[in-house]
Amino acid sequence: MKLVFLGPPGAGKGTLAADAAVDLKLSHISTGEIFREAVRAGTPLGLKVKSILDSGGLVSDYLTVELVKERLAQPDVSGGWILDGFPRTIPQAEALEIFNPPERVVNFDVTDELIIARLAGRRTCPSCKRIYHVTNMPPKKDGVCDACGAVLVIREDDSESSVRHRLVTYRRQTAPLIGFYEVKGRVLTIDAAGSPSVVYEGFRKALR
Ligand code: AP5
């Protein structure tokens, strides 16, 4: 199965993808996580994209498409994948149609109000990448990852100004992809406003 997860920042794409990848035995590929890892490691790619990520803008289509093309050519993803956060522009979607078209596009429907509340409370594990929320999905021990014991961090791009910019970018450049895939009959829209288990159930029903 080849799935694209499409939705605004904070919609819960990464949270759902983590569970769905395990259940459906798919590789979870998050372009945002690949970029953040490069920034953390201080690689040439990381140095190039750090300021773009921090401000909430988009990395260039050329760079992102090349990165995904390379990742999808690796043998460990041959059993199927979830692309979380790619494509994000029409040129990226057109490129993906040529080298590896998705079968289904899961569109996360959620209000701005919920997005802001989710991003304001998000905490992530810098080591195993698990995602938490201070009230919705808190760790057992405050500020510490349940899975690996690392100290949880707030993402640089969860600042108020960056979130505002990311929402505008989403509406202008990414939301048009819903129409792009709708005419191809591949969009499954899910209500992403419920609890993680309710959202997951809606996702599994939509896939049937
Ligand atoms: P990326 O990492 O893809 O960020 P994003 O799309 O803005 O999405 P987020 O990771 O912020 O949110 P999410 O939907 O995964 O929500 P989450 O599950 O964490 O991209 C980051 C940056 O990289 C971009 O801004 C850009 O610069 C660059 N980039 C990436 N891809 C690119 C591309 N293709 N082209 C160009 N540039 C690119 O959940 C959020 C919070 O809500 C968490 O705290 C979670 O615990 C909580 N939560 C989740 N689900 C629920 C629920 N059902 N109920 C209650 N709380 C919930």
Side-chain angles (χ1 to χ4, degrees):
M1 197 182 303
K2 299 174 184 184
L3 302 176
V4 159
F5 278 12
L6 184 67
K13 304 182 295 297
T15 301
L16 182 66
D19 291 341
V22 173
D23 269 14
L24 302 170
K25 297 185 176 51
L26 302 172
S27 298
H28 175 194
I29 301 167
S30 158
T31 40
E33 198 44 59
I34 294 172
F35 290 137
R36 278 188 294 281
E37 193 51 50
V39 170
R40 269 194 289 269
T43 65
L45 172 68
L47 295 175
K48 211 180 268 183
V49 303
K50 181 177 181 349
S51 62
I52 303 172
L53 258 66
D54 288 352
S55 71
L58 291 184
V59 177
S60 78
D61 286 337
Y62 178 77
L63 198 66
T64 312
V65 165
E66 287 305 305
L67 189 135
V68 173
K69 204 185 219 175
E70 214 172 274
R71 183 69 189 91
L72 292 185
Q74 286 165 13
D76 65 303
V77 306
S78 60
W81 37 257
I82 298 171
L83 277 178
D84 164 12
F86 181 95
R88 250 179 160 93
T89 64
I90 296 285
Q92 290 181 11
E94 285 169 346
L96 186 62
E97 283 302 295
I98 295 167
F99 67 80
N100 212 331
E103 289 155 354
R104 292 272 183 271
V105 174
V106 181
N107 173 37
F108 287 62
D109 187 20
V110 65
T111 62
D112 281 7
E113 218 175 19
L114 259 187
I115 287 170
I116 306 235
R118 285 182 181 177
L119 292 181
R122 174 162 59 189
R123 300 291 182 270
T124 56
C125 175
S127 178
C128 72
K129 323 296 182 224
R130 208 156 152 171
I131 305 166
Y132 297 88
H133 188 280
V134 287
T135 51
N136 301 345
M137 303 163 73
K140 290 191 185 93
K141 189 175 167 205
D142 198 25
V144 176
C145 179
D146 294 345
C148 72
V151 173
L152 302 180
V153 297
I154 299 177
R155 265 172 51 174
E156 300 272 353
D157 60 349
D158 280 346
S159 69
E160 199 192 322
S161 63
S162 178
V163 168
R164 224 178 300 118
H165 189 183
R166 284 157 66 202
L167 278 170
V168 170
T169 305
Y170 172 78
R171 285 198 199 95
R172 280 201 195 133
Q173 293 186 260
T174 309
L177 294 183
I178 300 168
F180 177 93
Y181 286 117
E182 248 164 12
V183 297
K184 299 181 192 306
R186 296 190 214 152
V187 176
L188 305 173
T189 294
I190 59 166
D191 179 359
S195 67
S197 58
V198 168
V199 174
Y200 193 79
E201 212 169 289
F203 161 73
R204 290 308 304 260
K205 268 193 198 142
L207 267 191
R208 277 184 214 138

